[in-house]
C-alpha cells in the first residue's frame, strides 16, 4: 500500500516540492557564533531569541488558521518565501552595524524571531496536504513517511549549511578581528538559495481540489517516480547522518572554526 502511495503523482509531485523547498532552506551556520563573539550576546539574550522564535512560530500557525487559510497553497509559499528573503537580508545590515538606532539585540530579535513566524505560516498547509495524501488503512505509516521526507530535507539542509562554512573564512578569530566580509557573503548566498525555492512552486497544487485531481493524471502510478522519491529520501538521511557523525568525531572537517 505504501509503495502504491508513493507511485501516485498526487504524492511524489507535491512531496517533491516539499523536499526541494526544505532542502534549499540553508541557514548561515556561523550566525550564532557571530552573535556571541562579535556582538557579545549573553546566554540569556540568546535564550530570549529562542523563546521569542517559539512564540512567533505558534503565532504563525494561528495566523494561517484564521487568515491565510483562505489563500492558495502556492500563494502562501510565494508570499512567505519573499518575506523571508527580506528578513534574511536584514542580517546583512546587522553585520554591517546598520540598525537604524536600535540596539543590536532588538534588531536581531525582530529578524531572527520573525523567520520562525514565517515557518509557522507554512507549517499548516504542508500538514493539511500530507493528511490528504494518506490512503485509508495506512494513515499512520503514510503520515510518518511524509514527515520523514520533510525532516530528511531539513536535516540535509542543515548538513549543507555546515559544508558551506568552508566557502569563506567565517572563523571566530577572523570575525573578532573585524573582518566580517566572509560572513556578509555567506549570508547573501544563503538568502538567495532560500528564496530560490519559489522556482519550484508550480509543483505544489493550489488547493485540496487540485491535489485530488492529480490522482487521475496520466503519470499517476509511475514506478519511476516512486523509486526516485524513496531513493532520494533515504540518500538524504544517509548524507545527513554522515555529516553529523563527522561533526562529532572530526570537528572542523569542512573548514569551519572548531
Amino acid at each position: 500500500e505504501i509503495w502504491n502511495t508513493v507511485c501516485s503523482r498526487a504524492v511524489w509531485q507535491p512531496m517533491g516540492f516539499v523536499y526541494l523547498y526544505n532542502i534549499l532552506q540553508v541557514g548561515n551556520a556561523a550566525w550564532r557564533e557571530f552573535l556571541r563573539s562579535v556582538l557579545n550576546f549573553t546566554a540569556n539574550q540568546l535564550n530570549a531569541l529562542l523563546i521569542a522564535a517559539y512564540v512567533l512560530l505558534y503565532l504563525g500557525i494561528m495566523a494561517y488558521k484564521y487568515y491565510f487559510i483562505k489563500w492558495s497553497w502556492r500563494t502562501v509559499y510565494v508570499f512567505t518565501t519573499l518575506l523571508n528573503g527580506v528578513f534574511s537580508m536584514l542580517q546583512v545590515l546587522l553585520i554591517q552595524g546598520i540598525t537604524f538606532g536600535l540596539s543590536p539585540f532588538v534588531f536581531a530579535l525582530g529578524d531572527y524571531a520573525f523567520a520562525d513566524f514565517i515557518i509557522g505560516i507554512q507549517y499548516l498547509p504542508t500538514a493539511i496536504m500530507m493528511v490528504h495524501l494518506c490512503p485509508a488503512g495506512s494513515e499512520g505509516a503514510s503520515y510518518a513517511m511524509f514527515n520523514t521526507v520533510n525532516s530528511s530535507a531539513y536535516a540535509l539542509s542543515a548538513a549543507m549549511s555546515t559544508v558551506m562554512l568552508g566557502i569563506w573564512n567565517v572563523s571566530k578569530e577572523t570575525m573578532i578581528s573585524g573582518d566580517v566580509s566572509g560572513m556578509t557573503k555567506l549570508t547573501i548566498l544563503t538568502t538567495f538559495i532560500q528564496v530560490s525555492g519559489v522556482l519550484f512552486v508550480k509543483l505544489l497544487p493550489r488547493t485540496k481540489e487540485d491535489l485530488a485531481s492529480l490522482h487521475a493524471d496520466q503519470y499517476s502510478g509511475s514506478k519511476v517516480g516512486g523509486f526516485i522519491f524513496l531513493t532520494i529520501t533515504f540518500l538524504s538521511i544517509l548524507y545527513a547522518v554522515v555529516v553529523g557523525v563527522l561533526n562529532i568525531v572530526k570537528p572542523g572537517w569542512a573548514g569551519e572554526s572548531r
Side-chain angles (χ1 to χ4, degrees):
E1 187 66 36
I2 295 295
W3 172 246
N4 291 333
T5 298
V6 298
C7 287
S8 171
R9 185 178 182 183
V11 171
W12 56 257
Q13 178 176 311
M15 289 308 299
F17 167 78
V18 170
Y19 179 86
L20 290 171
Y21 184 89
N22 288 345
I23 206 174
L24 290 171
Q25 302 311 297
V26 180
N28 186 341
W31 184 246
R32 288 182 67 85
E33 186 62 51
F34 171 79
L35 296 179
R36 283 195 300 261
S37 303
V38 179
L39 298 183
N40 299 313
F41 278 23
T42 64
N44 288 337
Q45 287 177 313
L46 292 174
N47 288 334
L49 289 177
L50 186 61
I51 293 171
Y54 286 149
V55 171
L56 284 173
L57 177 66
Y58 172 77
L59 292 178
I61 294 175
M62 292 298 102
Y64 179 83
K65 180 178 179 181
Y66 293 107
Y67 180 70
F68 293 104
I69 196 169
K70 301 175 183 178
W71 294 19
S72 73
W73 294 340
R74 289 185 185 179
T75 303
V76 167
Y77 266 91
V78 170
F79 171 73
T80 53
T81 301
L82 296 179
L83 189 60
N84 179 62
V86 172
F87 281 112
S88 294
M89 289 305 294
L90 289 178
Q91 292 181 348
V92 176
L93 296 181
L94 182 58
I95 294 171
Q96 300 300 320
I98 304 172
T99 59
F100 306 103
L102 299 172
S103 71
F105 174 72
V106 172
F107 195 85
L109 183 64
D111 168 39
Y112 184 86
F114 269 95
D116 281 81
F117 176 75
I118 293 169
I119 293 174
I121 295 175
Q122 294 175 343
Y123 172 77
L124 273 186
T126 304
I128 292 171
M129 181 180 68
M130 289 193 294
V131 167
H132 281 82
L133 292 177
C134 297
S138 56
E139 292 88 348
S142 299
Y143 192 79
M145 180 185 64
F146 298 147
N147 266 317
T148 299
V149 174
N150 197 26
S151 300
S152 67
Y154 274 124
L156 183 55
S157 175
M160 289 170 59
S161 69
T162 300
V163 174
M164 290 176 66
L165 289 173
I167 299 177
W168 292 288
N169 191 343
V170 291
S171 65
K172 176 180 178 179
E173 295 75 18
T174 299
M175 290 192 290
I176 291 178
S177 70
D179 182 3
V180 292
S181 60
M183 188 68 180
T184 302
K185 294 174 183 176
L186 185 58
T187 300
I188 293 173
L189 175 61
T190 54
T191 298
F192 276 104
I193 292 175
Q194 291 171 10
V195 174
S196 69
V198 298
L199 298 176
F200 302 98
V201 76
K202 287 191 175 182
L203 293 173
L204 184 67
R206 292 182 178 86
T207 61
K208 292 181 290 185
E209 291 71 27
D210 283 353
L211 180 63
S213 68
L214 289 177
H215 284 289
D217 188 87
Q218 60 177 328
Y219 295 107
S220 190
S222 170
K223 293 183 179 180
V224 175
F227 177 77
I228 294 175
F229 176 83
L230 291 178
T231 300
I232 291 178
T233 300
F234 288 124
L235 288 178
S236 298
I237 296 172
L238 178 61
Y239 178 81
V241 169
V242 170
V243 171
V245 171
L246 286 174
N247 288 340
I248 295 173
V249 302
K250 193 177 180 182
W253 68 272
E256 75 275 15
S257 57
R258 302 183 181 184

